[in-house]
Amino acid sequence: MLNSSTQCEMTSGGFCFDNARRNAVLEAELSEKGYKAPKARKTGTTIAGMVFKDGVILGADTRATDDMVVADKNCMKIHYIAPNIYCCGAGVAADAEILTQMMSSNIELHSLSTGRPPLVVTVTRQIKQKLFRYQGHIGSSLIVGGVDVDGPQLYSIFPHGSYDKLPFLTMGSGAAAAVSVFEDRFKAKMELEEAKQLVRDAITAGIFCDLGSGSNVDLCVITEKGVDYLRGYDRPSQKGQREGSYRYKLGTTPVLTKTVTPLTLDVVEESIKTMDTQ
Amino acid sequence: WAPLSSSPHTNSTTIMAVEFDGGVVIGADSRTTTGAYIANRVTDKLTPIHDRIFCCRSGSAADTQAIADAVSYQLGFHSIELDEPPLVQTAANLFKQMCYRYREELMAGIIVAGWDKRRGGQVYTVPMGGMLVRQPVSVGGSGSSYIYGFIDSKYKSGMTKEECLRFTADALALAMERDGSSGGVVRLAAITESGLERSVILGNQLPTFFSA
């Protein structure tokens, strides 16, 4: 038991803001020399979640951007935390990825220690306490959703460590587009198919109306019975079929002279690497 | 236009608390903004710290949520050690100690209100900077500027619980009308010895006043 004499004193452990001060000093020093601190790659995203009759549905687009270039056309933004809890991540890609992986490990250990399946509030509290400790420098905005003994729940967590518990949520650069779809058509206790369609429509609004979001819609349906991870549930922006042929006929450009210089090359090493071109 | 999550998530707000004989009435609006985007239009800014002690949060959402969690833990522990319900003054002092010590880093304006056996209903305000003072009626947040005149002219001591509830709802409605950072619904709570009564006044049921 803790000593009552130390109870009302502030333990020096409390909130530690030393790293925030160090970062501010480093940025000032760098800008003096004319360098800019490197910018982290953000996902520029639309993520959404809603509570329906039997559980929660999480949705996300699949585009990862590096400033104005699409770095990944089909990335996974819905991360596994526990068998009954998944998490969508927006903001800095690396931060969201690593944070959710660390949380997943911690939650598994915690669940083994308590001997009970994990609670969504536990995940939310651990994430928000870590984000608050880093004062917003971990740039990940998350939507945590899951079904546990307290029923289906949905929480949003912002980079500075604040959280909100709501029946429907959207985050990322496409949040404004997606939330308009929810505000129009959301009802409490919707049926599964209608709810999936609504989340799909919300993410699609983000894909079409936000430059930072695109490619496909991923859905994750979590109910008491289990999880249905629908990767590539909808592909609204597939490459179209080219109508005409623009190839020039053979012989359009006449050949005047031809010189062949053979190069003798030996094959030293051969390796095959498959590329994901879809 | 997209909401920038890099802007801090704030409860630019209107919060209010009034003492009456036998308890307190507390109230708040329900808007949380990230820049100009409303991230949560049904926020609950009246946070329980203990069975009969609440706090009204304004300022940075992250800071006030973290402070409220820390103080609830400390107060709960203290109450178990004492083996009796904690004093509102104790809760208020815990808030003050945290808000004053970390005053440069935090952005939190908090009103602590509740009932205890020693002094009945009490309202303590802990604005940004970490001051602590007990007041019979207290308002806070960005919307409070617009209702100081209303509070000063309409408040009288010795009001009943129902009068306090009506007074708080009127004041918050006026502030929400004028302050862009306040809006949504009005959340009210009355804390007395016998317990807690929470209520919500939806947008279309708010008291109406003259509008130009």
Side-chain angles (χ1 to χ4, degrees):
Chain A
M1 278 310 275
L2 289 174
N3 269 330
S4 49
S5 60
T6 53
Q7 170 42 33
C8 282
E9 261 176 80
M10 275 298 305
T11 45
S12 58
F15 300 121
C16 181
F17 296 85
D18 297 336
N19 278 345
R21 293 202 194 99
R22 174 207 70 183
N23 289 344
V25 170
L26 276 176
E27 278 221 36
E29 281 181 7
L30 276 177
S31 63
E32 262 175 52
K33 298 203 176 81
Y35 299 118
K36 272 200 297 217
K39 270 177 74 167
R41 177 189 302 184
K42 299 178 84 124
T43 47
T45 298
T46 310
I47 51 175
M50 66 174 272
V51 176
F52 72 106
K53 195 178 77 165
D54 306 317
V56 304
I57 305 185
L58 298 174
D61 75 306
T62 58
R63 173 182 287 184
T65 50
D66 195 357
D67 273 346
M68 283 289 120
V69 176
V70 175
D72 191 344
K73 286 184 280 191
N74 203 5
C75 71
M76 282 174 53
K77 301 188 189 179
I78 305 182
H79 309 282
Y80 167 87
I81 302 253
N84 56 330
I85 304 172
Y86 278 70
C87 176
C88 305
V92 179
D95 287 346
E97 186 73 42
I98 297 297
L99 183 66
T100 46
Q101 281 175 359
M102 285 167 69
M103 279 303 133
S104 179
S105 308
N106 281 344
I107 288 296
E108 183 166 355
L109 289 171
H110 189 261
S111 166
L112 287 166
S113 164
T114 57
R116 296 169 170 80
L119 301 172
V120 189
V121 277
T122 314
V123 178
T124 305
R125 189 162 264 235
Q126 290 195 353
I127 293 177
K128 85 155 161 91
Q129 284 179 348
K130 172 168 248 145
L131 289 177
F132 184 78
R133 206 177 324 136
Y134 283 91
Q135 286 290 288
H137 291 279
I138 297 184
S140 55
S141 315
L142 306 162
I143 296 183
V144 182
V147 181
D148 58 29
V149 286
D150 297 321
Q153 291 150 76
L154 201 58
Y155 293 89
S156 69
I157 310 172
F158 279 81
H160 286 264
S162 58
Y163 75 98
D164 294 299
K165 177 170 190 273
L166 288 164
F168 61 86
L169 285 165
T170 62
M171 288 184 109
S173 54
V179 83
S180 60
V181 177
F182 277 137
E183 288 284 3
D184 187 27
R185 285 156 49 186
F186 176 84
K187 287 189 289 291
K189 296 200 191 342
M190 285 171 89
E191 293 293 334
L192 174 65
E193 283 313 312
E194 204 186 345
K196 272 160 68 174
Q197 188 66 18
L198 181 58
V199 180
R200 186 214 82 94
D201 288 346
I203 302 291
T204 309
I207 287 172
F208 287 138
C209 305
D210 173 43
L211 296 178
S213 310
S215 298
N216 317 324
V217 179
D218 283 349
L219 286 188
C220 183
V221 182
I222 311 172
T223 56
E224 240 176 15
K225 300 189 186 65
V227 174
D228 201 8
Y229 195 114
L230 302 160
R231 179 117 169 94
Y233 177 73
D234 190 29
R235 295 167 200 268
S237 36
Q238 264 175 337
K239 217 165 174 178
Q241 281 289 84
R242 218 168 266 168
E243 295 295 307
S245 170
Y246 301 96
R247 289 188 161 268
Y248 286 100
K249 279 200 278 289
L250 217 53
T252 309
T253 311
V255 178
L256 297 177
T257 50
K258 187 160 127 178
T259 328
V260 177
T261 314
L263 295 167
T264 43
L265 295 169
D266 293 320
V267 176
V268 174
E269 194 195 319
E270 190 179 303
S271 67
I272 300 176
K273 190 167 176 189
T274 45
M275 270 175 63
D276 180 20
T277 49
Q278 272 305 101
Chain B
W1 180 90
L4 284 168
S5 303
S6 49
S7 320
H9 209 41
T10 51
N11 291 331
S12 297
T13 298
T14 317
I15 49 176
M16 180 167 163
V18 193
E19 289 177 8
F20 63 91
D21 183 21
V24 292
V25 162
I26 55 177
D29 75 306
S30 69
R31 184 171 287 185
T32 308
T33 51
T34 319
Y37 178 72
I38 299 173
N40 188 352
R41 56 182 170 84
V42 286
T43 325
D44 186 6
K45 304 181 192 178
L46 307 175
T47 309
I49 302 295
H50 206 264
D51 295 342
R52 298 283 184 279
I53 306 177
F54 267 62
C55 76
C56 311
R57 302 181 289 110
S58 74
S60 158
D63 289 351
T64 52
Q65 281 174 2
I67 297 170
D69 281 350
V71 172
S72 322
Y73 161 73
Q74 292 172 341
L75 200 67
F77 196 92
H78 170 71
S79 170
I80 288 176
E81 284 186 317
L82 248 49
D83 197 21
E84 63 179 46
L87 297 177
V88 187
Q89 190 177 13
T90 312
N93 275 94
L94 288 172
F95 272 107
K96 177 209 71 184
Q97 282 186 343
M98 198 167 292
C99 293
Y100 181 71
R101 177 175 290 221
Y102 295 108
R103 59 184 296 171
E104 301 302 325
E105 284 83 15
L106 294 172
M107 189 169 87
I110 295 176
I111 300 179
V112 186
W115 180 93
D116 64 39
K117 211 170 58 170
R118 188 181 293 185
R119 296 199 181 93
Q122 298 145 77
V123 170
Y124 294 88
T125 181
V126 183
M128 285 186 216
M131 170 184 92
L132 169 65
V133 75
R134 181 181 171 186
Q135 294 177 315
V137 62
S138 187
V139 291
S142 58
S144 64
S145 330
Y146 305 101
I147 50 174
Y148 280 111
F150 177 78
I151 303 286
D152 289 341
S153 66
K154 284 288 194 275
Y155 174 75
K156 41 190 209 303
S157 59
M159 290 197 281
T160 64
K161 183 174 77 168
E162 284 67 32
E163 284 174 326
C164 286
L165 283 165
R166 183 105 39 79
F167 175 53
T168 308
D170 284 351
L172 289 171
L174 284 166
M176 283 155 64
E177 190 76 10
R178 286 291 179 180
D179 179 29
S181 313
S182 303
V185 304
V186 168
R187 292 198 186 270
L188 293 168
I191 310 167
T192 56
E193 176 176 9
S194 46
L196 176 65
E197 286 162 32
R198 296 202 63 152
S199 54
V200 181
I201 306 181
L202 299 179
N204 57 350
Q205 300 159 350
L206 285 171
T208 47
F209 301 90
F210 165 78
S211 52

